[in-house]
Amino acid sequence: MDYVVKLEAYEGPFDLLLDLIEQNEVDILDIPIAVITEQYLEYLHTLQEQDLAIGGEFLVMAATLIRIKAKMLLPPEEVEAEEPEEEDPRERLVEQLLRYKAYKEAAARLTERYHGALGYYTRGGRQSQAVRIPIFTNVVGDLTVKDLAAVFAQLMKDLHAEPPHQTIIQRVSVAQRLAEIRVCLVGRSRLTFAELLQERTRAEVVVTFLAILELIRLREIRVRQTSTFGYIEILPDYV
Amino acid sequence: MTLHEAERTIEALIFAADEPLSAGRLAEILGMDPKSIPALVERIQRRHQDGALMVREVGGGYQLVTKPEYAPWIEKLGRPVVHAPLSQASTETLAIIAYRQPVTKAEIEEIRGVRCDSAINNLLERELICELGRKDGPGRPILYGVTEKFLVHFGLKGLEDLPPLSIT
Amino acid sequence: MTLHEAERTIEALIFAADEPLSAGRLAEILGMDPKSIPALVERIQRRHQDGALMVREVGGGYQLVTKPEYAPWIEKLGRPVVHAPLSQASTETLAIIAYRQPVTKAEIEEIRGVRCDSAINNLLERELICELGRKDGPGRPILYGVTEKFLVHFGLKGLEDLPPLSIT
């Protein structure tokens, strides 16, 4: 046995296979399946001897390796008769291994960045204040006392009118609401769902909700709710 | 370590520390004579003369803080800025409060025919209305009225300045 | 407000803020065009060239931090380590989410070849990932994505700042 069995847990069967491939110094695109399968099973036996639990996914992989090995031992004519499309039984496994390897390497680079980022210290003694009162830049807009008087007069008229005033549903299209939400998001790192629903009629709530779903689909926003019945936060997506 | 390096290291330390750092503590970390610290801090202070930060001596230690004139800006942090003008619901609620004050939420809702909780909250946040006390009677509901800020925004001397109504 | 004043105010704000401040947020507070912010930040950066601090662009925002060469000194303050190391399982899971988001647990497990429940829970608890909604299709599985905190902890300006993947 010219390879070293690591007793510390592998991250999974792909991790173990990659390690075996590396230790045997073989080409990942042309895996000597008989050798690797043998070593893989041997590793599982070692674990068993140590009375260590073997994850189900390791056993599934063992079965896969044995199946590939068997297929490769069959004479080519027979393989062709059975499954004419399949060129190399190892193909799918190699794809999976390469994909896993890419992410494993990405994870290693991320870890480096993580440690690198630790070198930058932010200001000490920060305690966040929980004050969240908005600053209104447009407290009354271009509303005048005359408007107020007119609004109040209209309300009084409606109140005394016969029959009682009808509800006029404001028609707001999803597209229009979508545009409004985009505007609300400019320069904001987050927005709450409640903020968007302030002073809205039932129909507008529905339209707002549809617009939010559409923005999620377009990947312009992400939505998060940290607790049940908690604030629903709307965050601009970075993609 | 050169004085130049020591000065920068002190800056980094007092920036990152959770509490003000005393000259003694700084000297201990840097392996220097505590007596040399004040002059180095003075150099940091001078370097920041043209910026927004300053070294403050507090509780026997040094701390990096923003200069006091930036306080109003920093207060705005954490406070979302809302550009939106008043909604129809808030405008109606405001009109009722202006003409009917002191008025309870139930009375406003009776006139508008819909609930006004969020409109009232919005007007309170905008500081256009305030609580005037409580009404006698069942449940002792809160009474609302307009604020000084309301008068200022609408250019009114007082409530008597509101345009008279054609119907009441 | 002059550019000089704006520059100092930005310095004060990014010093005082608890999180990185985006150009948009700074522009909103200052009532300026967001496009003018980067140049002002650049001026702050230059002013600090000779000091221990620097402006770091991270997670879509700006933050005032100590230059990395002072880290060994700051460690002596005994400030607790901000974030504990991540396990191999969590880092792999995080990498897959960062590069593939929005992504389901099943998709992550297919790539890693093992179950990821505890890694996902760990990452959710540390707020490095969040739920992005649900995927259409059978079972409507939860979709995961990375958070702003992820970008900050890994010193990334945005997802486009991720090192390229060897295959896709």
Side-chain angles (χ1 to χ4, degrees), chain C residues 105-157:
Chain C
K105 184 160 77 72
E107 288 159 0
I108 302 164
E109 289 178 344
E110 203 194 298
I111 293 172
R112 292 195 59 226
V114 284
R115 293 188 62 101
C116 301
D117 305 73
S118 68
I120 285 177
N121 284 336
N122 178 265
L123 294 169
L124 282 171
E125 253 172 43
R126 297 174 72 155
E127 295 177 319
L128 294 171
I129 62 165
C130 64
E131 295 181 7
L132 292 183
R134 288 179 179 271
K135 190 178 180 162
D136 289 332
R140 302 198 21 84
I142 296 167
L143 289 163
Y144 295 98
V146 291
T147 59
E148 218 169 282
K149 197 166 169 187
F150 161 80
L151 297 175
V152 174
H153 280 206
F154 285 84
L156 298 164
K157 285 179 199 165

Side-chain angles (χ1 to χ4, degrees), chain B residues 111-166:
Chain B
I111 297 173
R112 290 194 57 225
V114 285
R115 295 185 60 102
C116 302
D117 304 73
S118 67
I120 287 177
N121 283 337
N122 184 265
L123 294 169
L124 285 169
E125 276 185 353
R126 286 175 191 252
E127 296 176 314
L128 292 169
I129 63 165
C130 61
E131 296 181 6
L132 293 180
R134 287 180 181 271
K135 189 175 182 166
D136 288 332
R140 301 191 28 78
I142 296 166
L143 288 163
Y144 295 96
V146 293
T147 58
E148 198 70 38
K149 195 168 166 186
F150 167 88
L151 298 175
V152 172
H153 273 292
F154 287 99
L156 302 169
K157 288 195 201 88
L159 279 181
E160 64 285 356
D161 251 6
L162 277 173
L165 291 170
S166 43

Side-chain angles (χ1 to χ4, degrees), chain C residues 65-80:
Chain C
V65 294
T66 55
K67 292 177 184 168
E69 58 263 38
Y70 298 98
W73 292 101
I74 295 163
E75 275 164 33
K76 296 190 186 202
L77 285 175
R79 228 180 110 175

